[in-house]
Amino acid sequence: MKRRTLVASEFNAKDRAHFALAYEFCRIVAECEDADLIAPGIDNYLTRRFHAILPKHDPHNVQRDFNRLTSAIRKGLGLRNAPTMEHVRLTQDYDLFFFVAWSPQSLVELSRIHDWRGRCKVAVAYLFELWSSTLEQDRQYLKLLDQFDHVFLLHSACLPRLPQYTRTPCSFLATGVDGLISTPYLSPVKRVVDVYSYGNRAAKIHRQLLNLAQDRDFFYLYDTLASTDSRVRDWHEHRLLLANIIRRTRYFMAFSPAALANSKSVTVAGEQVLPARLFEGAAGGAVMLGTAPQCAEFGEHFDWQDAVIEVSPDSSSVADVIGELDANPRRTELLRRTNAVRCLEMHDWVYRWEHILVTIGMEPFPRLHIRKSLLGQIAADAMAPRRSGPKAGTAFGFGAQTVLKQ
């Protein structure tokens, strides 16, 4: 079976931490397909034109800030954002095009991949973030979805209304993890972090955990920098660090976005969605504390007891919850093992790609089945701990994908 696949995304032009999810999905798809992966960087045209007067140490930030200003002005004029990626010219035809976009605004970047639609027989897209509250204001971006044959998105609540904005069939697809770096069973380590919390958090719970860290021998790991200003130096290193921390974490904070009061509350507007942190925390074998989203997808993807131990954002007794769990080590060990094993069986990105291929009527390549087999082997060994588990990288050698930046 021969199939030429092109995978594309804008993550290298954005460098925000959450775009690492797009990087990871693209990388695993490219490996399973032996595909070409294009992820152009930011088009730094200010440096090319005004290099003599721009600061030498920070041209990237100057370009990024200028792009933000330009987008704000264009929004005020009722125009779409301007694309920010470097231009790419394709040199061959493809049977399948897969575009991974963070938001509807990301779709403008397609114009930088010249003649992508003419060179690709079938085109599908995955959209990470789309809220029901913003559908109308995103109307002119959503129209760009008409260029695709199928669109997958994380926010299922938007599906009933999307036919008003695009004629392309749309369906739900959860996020995932790289199970081979997330699992605690390839290289077991000690869980030295008592609680780990990153990104959006519940202020009341955070204060309680800070007090525990001050008053006891208690390691609470949390963000001290604003996540909206985070920049990533290397995508793989970022995902590897996150996975390594979670594999060393006992309890992981995982609140539903709808449960938190923050700057995005108006946008979220109570909408229930499966956040990526659920998959990340469970894959690393941490016990998750927080609030589960009240949507059918949670029951389908986390169909085991106590996948999330309920702790309200307004609770004043998170220490008691942790104390009760610590007092029952057999229960917590079962929770950790169940979380990690079920993610190996269900939530690696390879399962998401397989779902996409089935939906569009294409056969998976052998590489996909090899990865699934390895994940299954690790899960089976985890359930039979007396057996010696597979070594990292066993039977899983993928060729490097081609990355074009033109």
Side-chain angles (χ1 to χ4, degrees):
M1 178 176 55
K2 295 183 179 180
R3 177 172 64 233
R4 291 179 175 176
T5 301
L6 176 63
V7 181
S9 183
E10 90 275 29
F11 58 79
N12 274 331
K14 303 301 180 184
D15 67 18
R16 289 294 187 261
H18 52 266
F19 281 89
L21 284 170
Y23 152 78
E24 192 170 78
F25 194 9
C26 288
R27 177 179 59 79
I28 290 176
V29 169
E31 289 174 352
C32 290
E33 288 287 305
D34 195 17
D36 290 343
L37 167 58
I38 57 173
I42 192 169
D43 182 10
N44 221 329
Y45 58 85
L46 287 180
T47 298
R48 293 197 302 271
R49 297 175 184 176
F50 305 107
H51 60 90
I53 62 173
L54 291 178
K56 298 295 185 289
H57 65 285
D58 205 11
H60 181 89
N61 271 350
V62 172
Q63 183 67 61
R64 187 179 61 182
D65 291 343
F66 183 78
N67 289 345
R68 287 180 176 176
L69 176 62
T70 302
S71 294
I73 294 173
R74 292 176 66 91
K75 183 178 180 180
L77 296 174
L79 303 173
R80 292 176 185 155
N81 290 351
T84 62
M85 290 193 325
E86 296 172 311
H87 292 265
V88 175
R89 297 192 179 277
L90 304 181
T91 58
Q92 63 176 309
D93 294 335
Y94 293 92
D95 300 295
L96 176 59
F97 176 69
F98 181 48
F99 185 67
V100 178
W102 188 261
S103 69
Q105 289 76 23
S106 303
L107 297 170
V108 301
E109 305 293 352
L110 287 164
S111 65
R112 292 294 174 90
I113 307 174
H114 298 280
D115 197 28
W116 67 270
R117 182 67 268 198
R119 282 192 170 271
C120 302
K121 293 180 182 178
V122 177
V124 296
Y126 182 53
L127 195 57
F128 275 98
E129 185 163 304
L130 177 64
W131 300 96
S132 296
S133 64
T134 64
L135 286 175
E136 186 58 33
Q137 68 188 58
D138 290 333
R139 172 185 290 273
Q140 58 182 333
Y141 297 103
L142 294 172
K143 190 65 179 173
L144 297 173
L145 294 176
D146 288 349
Q147 302 169 89
F148 291 90
D149 298 293
H150 200 105
V151 174
F152 299 87
L153 64 152
L154 174 60
H155 294 214
S156 62
C158 296
L159 290 173
R161 293 177 55 196
L162 272 177
Q164 302 175 36
Y165 302 96
T166 179
R167 62 174 180 266
T168 299
C170 300
S171 57
F172 168 80
L173 184 69
T175 62
V177 292
D178 182 342
L180 298 179
I181 67 170
S182 298
T183 184
Y185 296 119
L186 282 178
S187 54
V189 292
K190 293 182 179 180
R191 295 192 179 272
V192 295
V193 178
D194 291 302
V195 176
Y196 181 34
S197 172
Y198 71 83
N200 294 329
R201 61 194 179 210
K204 190 171 183 179
I205 298 295
H206 177 61
R207 288 193 295 271
Q208 293 174 62
L209 292 171
L210 283 177
N211 290 334
L212 288 177
Q214 290 173 335
D215 299 339
R216 305 182 188 177
D217 180 13
F218 188 90
F219 186 8
Y220 173 40
L221 184 60
Y222 54 93
D223 293 337
T224 58
L225 302 177
S227 60
T228 54
D229 290 333
S230 59
R231 289 183 59 191
V232 174
R233 294 177 182 270
D234 182 283
W235 297 113
H236 179 69
E237 289 180 4
H238 176 73
R239 293 300 287 175
L240 184 62
L241 176 62
L242 178 64
N244 278 330
I245 292 173
I246 295 174
R247 291 194 301 115
R248 290 165 170 80
T249 294
R250 300 197 307 128
Y251 300 104
F252 180 78
M253 303 309 301
F255 287 98
S256 167
L260 298 178
N262 53 44
S263 59
K264 291 192 66 174
S265 295
V266 174
T267 300
V268 175
E271 187 166 309
Q272 304 292 324
V273 64
L274 283 178
R277 69 183 60 231
L278 288 178
F279 302 94
E280 294 160 348
V287 175
M288 294 193 288
L289 308 179
T291 54
Q294 302 302 303
C295 55
E297 293 79 29
F298 176 78
E300 295 169 4
H301 288 75
F302 294 87
D303 58 350
W304 58 93
Q305 187 175 4
D306 293 333
V308 177
I309 303 296
E310 195 71 19
V311 177
S312 167
D314 297 319
S315 172
S316 58
S317 59
V318 67
D320 293 338
V321 173
I322 293 173
E324 291 175 8
L325 289 165
D326 283 347
N328 193 343
R330 293 184 65 181
R331 181 192 178 198
T332 55
E333 176 56 30
L334 177 61
L335 287 177
R336 292 187 177 109
R337 187 174 298 275
T338 302
N339 283 352
V341 168
R342 294 298 280 151
C343 284
L344 286 167
E345 296 172 337
M346 299 173 63
H347 296 321
D348 186 89
W349 287 112
V350 71
Y351 302 111
R352 307 300 184 248
W353 182 238
E354 182 178 43
H355 176 80
I356 289 174
L357 292 176
V358 169
T359 301
I360 63 177
M362 291 188 175
E363 291 292 327
F365 278 175
R367 289 170 179 241
L368 182 146
H369 297 298
I370 292 172
R371 186 178 180 99
K372 285 179 60 179
S373 295
L374 180 56
L375 293 164
Q377 180 186 345
I378 299 168
D381 287 336
M383 296 305 290
R386 291 183 181 178
R387 294 169 53 192
S388 59
K391 302 300 182 182
T394 299
F396 195 61
F398 280 150
Q401 68 272 20
T402 301
V403 181
L404 304 178
K405 289 188 179 181
Q406 302 178 14

